Amino acid sequence: MELIGLRCGEIRADAGLLYRGELSDDRVVIPIMCFAITHPEGVVLFDTGMNPRVRSDPVGYWGRVVERDLLVPVFPDGAAVTERLQQAGIAMSDVRFVVNSHLHNDHAGMNCFFNDSIVLMRTREFEHATEQMDKPYSGYIGNDFQSGDAGGLRMIEFDETYDIFDDGLVVLVSTIGHTPGHQSLRVRFPSGKGFTLSGDAMYQRSSLCTGCPPGVVWDRDLAIASISKLKAMNEHGDAVLVNHDPEMWGDCVSTQLLHSERLGS
């Protein structure tokens, strides 16, 4: 069983918008991290990054956020999640489940490329994304998550947790606030070592101390409550991984094996 980090490009972002919810002249480059979890019953891919169309037409695909220099994709060749999987030695046919922290365009941009996988879609997130998709500044691009083979889409709903393999090793955890259906993913290895992939529940690991939510939130109070949940998980021994924290991923330029353990027979 392995946990592998996949660096799938970057975004040059307005730091004020990102961290405080207000426009500024400051810019920061943040990583786009996806993760692959190898499990005896198949690979789970957490987040799919950006759609390759932003390479040739970022304004046309993402719209005004790029035009206004608020969120600008930086997406070099070789950095698409499909390419990173190949570099990590994982075939797309090995990906049994695709799950997203949420459906914003830097987290679900390549869902439509995984027609042979089961996309586990949280109902409340899908409904909200469908209602908001393709509106200016919504962050939801319908082509990212609505195209492809609908037969591979499995709608799920849960209040607190959803155990993907029913063995306690790969478990979705509700962390709503940034969006109505935001979820994190807890990966627990046989030794008891745990990692929690927190998506956009926060943008910086320092939020575990400050409790400050992202600048972009659907519900600020719920976002703060979700950070408190993640803080408790961290205090109980989980390593909480923050997708967009530049300091956390400075050493990861392509793929990185984060942890590996042999499962008992």
Side-chain angles (χ1 to χ4, degrees), residues 92 132 141 203 240 248 250:
M92 287 183 65
Q132 297 295 320
I141 308 295
Y203 293 146
V240 176
M248 179 168 285

Side-chain angles (χ1 to χ4, degrees), residues 107-159:
H107 292 263
M110 295 190 70
N111 279 22
C112 56
F113 286 75
F114 291 88
N115 291 338
D116 294 329
S117 305
I118 298 171
V119 180
L120 297 177
M121 191 78 70
R122 198 171 183 188
T123 304
R124 67 182 74 178
E125 180 70 15
F126 180 77
E127 290 177 348
H128 178 75
T130 301
E131 178 184 324
Q132 297 295 320
M133 67 182 184
D134 302 327
K135 294 180 180 179
Y137 307 110
S138 74
Y140 293 111
I141 308 295
N143 183 68
D144 288 346
F145 61 89
Q146 288 213 328
S147 59
D149 181 7
L153 180 63
R154 181 184 299 174
M155 304 301 293
I156 62 173
E157 194 49 270
F158 59 94
D159 291 326

Side-chain angles (χ1 to χ4, degrees), residues 42-179:
V43 174
V44 176
L45 178 62
F46 184 69
D47 283 344
T48 61
M50 301 181 287
N51 190 292
R53 285 174 58 179
V54 301
R55 288 172 171 162
S56 59
D57 187 16
V59 174
Y61 199 70
W62 274 15
R64 296 179 190 174
V65 292
V66 180
E67 191 172 37
R68 293 185 59 189
D69 193 37
L70 302 178
L71 297 170
V72 178
V74 180
F75 202 18
D77 291 339
V81 72
T82 50
E83 297 165 318
R84 291 299 193 217
L85 286 170
Q86 184 179 22
Q87 294 161 20
I90 298 173
M92 287 183 65
S93 59
D94 293 334
V95 178
R96 181 175 176 188
F97 295 110
V98 172
V99 294
N100 307 100
S101 57
H102 60 302
L103 295 177
H104 279 164
N105 50 15
D106 57 326
H107 292 263
M110 295 190 70
N111 279 22
C112 56
F113 286 75
F114 291 88
N115 291 338
D116 294 329
S117 305
I118 298 171
V119 180
L120 297 177
M121 191 78 70
R122 198 171 183 188
T123 304
R124 67 182 74 178
E125 180 70 15
F126 180 77
E127 290 177 348
H128 178 75
T130 301
E131 178 184 324
Q132 297 295 320
M133 67 182 184
D134 302 327
K135 294 180 180 179
Y137 307 110
S138 74
Y140 293 111
I141 308 295
N143 183 68
D144 288 346
F145 61 89
Q146 288 213 328
S147 59
D149 181 7
L153 180 63
R154 181 184 299 174
M155 304 301 293
I156 62 173
E157 194 49 270
F158 59 94
D159 291 326
E160 291 298 328
T161 61
Y162 181 90
D163 192 332
I164 292 178
F165 294 110
D166 291 322
D167 59 6
L169 299 182
V170 187
V171 179
L172 291 167
V173 179
S174 182
T175 48
I176 60 176
H178 178 63
T179 66

